[in-house]
Amino acid sequence: MTTQAQHAGHVAVIGRPNVGKSTLVNALVGAKVSITSSRPQTTRHRLLGIATFEHGQLLLVDTPGIHADQGKASSSAMHRWMNRAARGALEGVDAAVLVIEAGRWDDGDALAYDALRSAGVPVVLAVNQVDKFKDKTALLPFLGEVSADREFAAVHPISALKRRGLEPLVSTLLALLPEQPPLYAEDEITDKSQRFLAGELVREQLMRQLGAELPYATTVEIESFVEDPAARSGPLLRIGAVIWVERDGQKAIVIGKGGARLREVGTRAREQMERLFDSKVFLETWVRVREGWSDDEAALRTLGYHD
């Protein structure tokens, strides 16, 4: 009897902002390791999602969306950092997934494709959100159009949100990776610490609950993260999170009338933490002002934004 060879390696997950890269990583890993929202550029950090299967392991590098520089807003230190993180994720990977939205190909997709071609790794096209099309045959002309004159190792229509079409995608990706045993233990799901994930879960709620612009002027710093094994209700994580904003007016908005919005952010984030960490969580949140932090390279480094 022969045993099927194991394959393992790094796969960059690339695309323009807000096409479902993080949703795809979470679906393949089987746990929430990357935050999601309807806002573009929710992902700010390079994050490794570890997806282990019977015949191998995908080390999925989730990244900020690659975007073109367009004026002052996209030339801030934060935007430059996110673009560096996205492009830097291509270094040392064995393959890549280009995630696009079903029925749409624009300049942002072309920019991401060009970055992948320059990296010289095999590229698999994942056409996401196909569940929006009742008649899947209506997608065929689009699939033919985006595949023409472009080199893809394979094209897979998927729905990351509904976890459809993922098995063929996994099989294709594993076949592109080196033949070797898994690089991480089966129960590991990310290279990031619980402390990092806690901060991201608070920031996710800010992205989801605040207006169109304000979330981009906020970041989260975990000031304390302590395990309390002797708590009466059983093991407890005591977490203190600081939400940084750039102006006093933004602080008032985040706190909300009578503290209502801050309480809601904290409650939702705590629920997500308890689910992910499988532990009770006591979460405290504060809002503080640090003017111009998003366009200050030194401030970004102190807040955890490292190349």
Side-chain angles (χ1 to χ4, degrees):
M1 188 175 96
T2 59
T3 303
Q4 186 171 335
Q6 293 276 304
H7 292 257
H10 290 80
V11 179
V13 183
I14 296 290
R16 61 176 166 79
N18 213 31
V19 292
K21 299 182 297 296
S22 297
T23 302
L24 175 59
V25 169
N26 290 340
L28 293 174
V29 171
K32 185 171 186 172
V33 294
S34 191
I35 65 172
T36 61
S37 83
S38 61
R39 307 278 182 212
Q41 298 168 28
T42 297
T43 300
R44 288 178 178 171
H45 298 267
R46 179 186 183 277
L47 180 145
L48 192 69
I50 303 165
T52 303
F53 305 94
E54 181 181 357
H55 302 301
Q57 191 174 72
L58 301 177
L59 307 180
L60 300 157
V61 186
D62 190 16
T63 65
I66 292 177
H67 62 283
D69 291 335
Q70 295 176 335
K72 182 178 179 181
S74 62
S75 65
S76 71
M78 170 62 75
H79 282 80
R80 292 194 301 272
W81 186 89
M82 288 195 294
N83 252 350
R84 289 199 304 271
R87 294 179 184 277
L90 299 178
E91 298 176 5
V93 299
D94 303 291
V97 179
L98 174 59
V99 185
I100 67 171
E101 179 185 342
R104 178 182 174 187
W105 177 279
D106 64 17
D107 291 344
D109 301 302
L111 184 69
Y113 175 77
D114 290 342
L116 291 173
R117 294 302 302 149
S118 298
V121 296
V123 181
V124 175
L125 181 66
V127 184
N128 194 22
Q129 303 174 28
V130 297
D131 48 297
K132 297 189 302 184
F133 289 77
K134 290 184 179 180
D135 180 9
K136 299 300 186 288
T137 61
L139 266 176
L140 294 177
F142 172 74
L143 296 178
E145 180 183 337
V146 297
S147 300
D149 301 322
R150 297 187 180 96
E151 295 182 31
F152 293 117
V155 178
H156 287 282
I158 65 166
S159 171
L161 186 63
K162 297 189 176 180
R163 305 192 178 196
R164 293 176 182 165
L166 300 187
E167 288 187 16
L169 175 63
V170 169
S171 296
T172 294
L173 290 173
L174 286 174
L176 294 172
L177 301 182
E179 186 175 322
Q180 61 181 339
L183 303 176
Y184 287 84
E186 187 175 350
D187 61 349
E188 292 184 88
I189 59 174
T190 183
D191 63 338
K192 295 295 188 182
S193 66
Q194 287 186 325
R195 189 185 190 107
F196 171 87
L197 295 173
E200 287 290 271
L201 290 172
V202 174
R203 194 168 63 79
E204 177 181 54
Q205 293 306 314
L206 295 170
M207 297 294 291
R208 292 186 171 197
Q209 296 189 38
L210 297 175
E213 297 300 328
L214 186 54
Y216 302 103
T218 64
T219 195
V220 177
E221 180 182 21
I222 298 300
E223 206 168 52
S224 61
F225 191 106
V226 179
E227 294 185 46
D228 183 356
R232 291 183 181 179
S233 58
L236 175 71
L237 292 173
R238 298 184 182 275
I239 301 172
V242 177
I243 299 168
W244 290 100
V245 297
E246 296 190 307
R247 296 191 299 273
D248 287 328
Q250 295 167 344
K251 178 177 179 179
I253 293 172
V254 172
I255 293 174
K257 187 176 181 180
R261 179 173 280 119
L262 185 59
R263 282 195 299 274
E264 181 69 8
V265 166
T267 297
R268 298 297 181 194
R270 177 183 55 76
E271 291 170 350
Q272 292 288 338
M273 290 178 198
E274 290 182 338
R275 207 169 288 130
L276 181 60
F277 302 152
D278 193 25
S279 172
K280 287 290 185 182
V281 171
F282 176 74
L283 174 65
E284 289 186 284
T285 56
W286 302 273
V287 185
R288 296 175 186 162
V289 178
R290 185 167 185 168
E291 291 187 11
W293 69 264
S294 66
D295 199 22
D296 182 334
E297 297 276 1
L300 287 174
R301 287 193 292 273
T302 65
L303 293 171
Y305 295 87
H306 305 289
D307 287 334

